[in-house]
Amino acid sequence: NAGVTQTPKFQVLKTGQSMTLQCAQDMNHNSMYWYRQDPGMGLRLIYYSASEGTTDKGEVPNGYNVSRLNKREFSLRLESAAPSQTSVYFCASSEVRYPQPQHFGDGTRLSIL
Amino acid sequence: AQTVTQSQPEMSVQEAETVTLSCTYDTSESDYYLFWYKQPPSRQMILVIRQEAYKQQNATENRFSVNFQKAAKSFSLKISDSQLGDAAMYFCAYRSARGVLNNDMRFGAGTRLTVKP
């Protein structure tokens, strides 16, 4: 019963370094999402992938890129990390049939110094 | 754009008592879905309850129930017989039912619930 698996769970980067956060789901869901969670702001959508082969920007996409590698995997890349990207990152997946909720991974705590 | 507001940053409740968490949202759409998620210290996001806007009947899941007031755009969560394990951050979330917008879930800022023994 893995559900949504994110790696790594914690990471510390220096400003300007690059990093890829990995996400995989085993529920055969079509849609996958990346969120960031900041104190007092709830979760905000960075990018999503409605289906394999498609990706779209969410509310806060600047400074990030994504790749939907296959149906199972959806990665988030920070090309040149900035302190403002210090956050907890969540990956989620869902079916497109309504009103299916999103299933979340356990999050990645990312600190950029 | 849709916005979700949780006006109570923190709430506390005595064990075995009832507490209500507030959520309001702003939308021009008529068809949408509302959710409450629980986030314990483990950081997991756990679905508590969901409500379809076209349904008049309020959703219930064991000790959890909602008061959905569509005209007022209000979606409060009631937790009955509170337990120590209910202590967590609670997030209200909105999801459009329309096309590509269905992929965009908007979250409130959260309410931290403390349960006192």
Side-chain angles (χ1 to χ4, degrees):
Chain A
N1 292 341
V4 179
T5 302
Q6 288 183 238
T7 55
K9 294 194 184 308
F10 302 94
Q11 184 70 46
V12 179
L13 293 178
K14 293 181 180 177
T15 298
Q17 286 186 314
S18 62
M19 167 98 193
T20 299
L21 306 185
Q22 306 287 353
C23 175
Q25 53 94 6
D26 61 3
M27 294 173 284
N28 203 35
H29 287 162
N30 283 297
S31 298
M32 296 185 74
Y33 314 82
W34 276 105
Y35 291 90
R36 60 178 289 172
Q37 182 180 21
D38 301 296
M41 299 190 73
L43 278 75
R44 292 181 293 166
L45 184 66
I46 305 170
Y47 270 93
Y48 66 93
S49 171
S51 61
E52 187 178 354
T54 69
T55 60
D56 285 285
K57 295 178 181 179
E59 187 182 359
V60 288
N62 292 343
Y64 304 95
N65 286 302
V66 291
S67 296
R68 184 74 182 267
L69 305 169
N70 48 55
K71 191 171 185 179
R72 288 187 64 248
E73 298 173 287
F74 188 39
S75 63
L76 178 72
R77 182 161 178 85
L78 288 70
E79 289 290 351
S80 179
S84 61
Q85 294 177 305
T86 293
S87 188
V88 179
Y89 291 85
F90 285 94
C91 178
S93 71
S94 73
E95 260 305 339
V96 294
R97 293 189 305 274
Y98 313 148
Q100 300 303 314
Q102 296 181 357
H103 298 262
F104 287 82
D106 290 342
T108 296
R109 182 175 295 279
L110 183 61
S111 296
I112 298 158
L113 308 177
Chain B
Q2 294 80 14
T3 57
V4 178
T5 302
Q6 293 179 249
S7 59
Q8 306 153 316
E10 296 183 353
M11 292 282 286
S12 67
V13 63
Q14 206 70 34
E15 195 176 4
E17 308 241 310
T18 296
V19 65
T20 298
L21 308 184
S22 300
C23 173
T24 59
Y25 55 94
D26 182 26
T27 184
S28 58
E29 299 174 339
S30 60
D31 197 12
Y32 49 86
Y33 307 96
L34 296 165
F35 305 87
W36 278 98
Y37 279 89
K38 169 185 177 182
Q39 187 180 43
S42 66
R43 223 167 54 197
Q44 282 183 300
M45 291 287 286
I46 302 164
L47 178 68
V48 174
I49 199 165
R50 76 184 91 174
Q51 174 80 43
E52 294 92 322
Y54 64 84
K55 289 187 177 179
Q56 290 187 334
Q57 186 173 6
N58 288 324
T60 62
E61 287 286 343
N62 301 315
R63 298 183 294 108
F64 298 87
S65 61
V66 298
N67 183 3
F68 173 48
Q69 302 285 331
K70 191 172 184 179
K73 296 178 184 175
S74 170
F75 182 60
S76 60
L77 174 70
K78 186 170 83 171
I79 306 174
S80 303
D81 185 25
S82 297
Q83 300 176 359
L84 295 177
D86 295 333
M89 281 287 285
Y90 286 82
F91 291 96
C92 178
Y94 170 103
R95 189 176 185 185
S96 171
R98 276 198 302 132
V100 69
L101 294 178
N102 179 257
N103 286 298
D104 192 358
M105 185 175 280
R106 298 289 172 137
F107 287 83
T111 297
R112 183 174 301 281
L113 178 67
T114 302
V115 180
K116 298 178 181 177

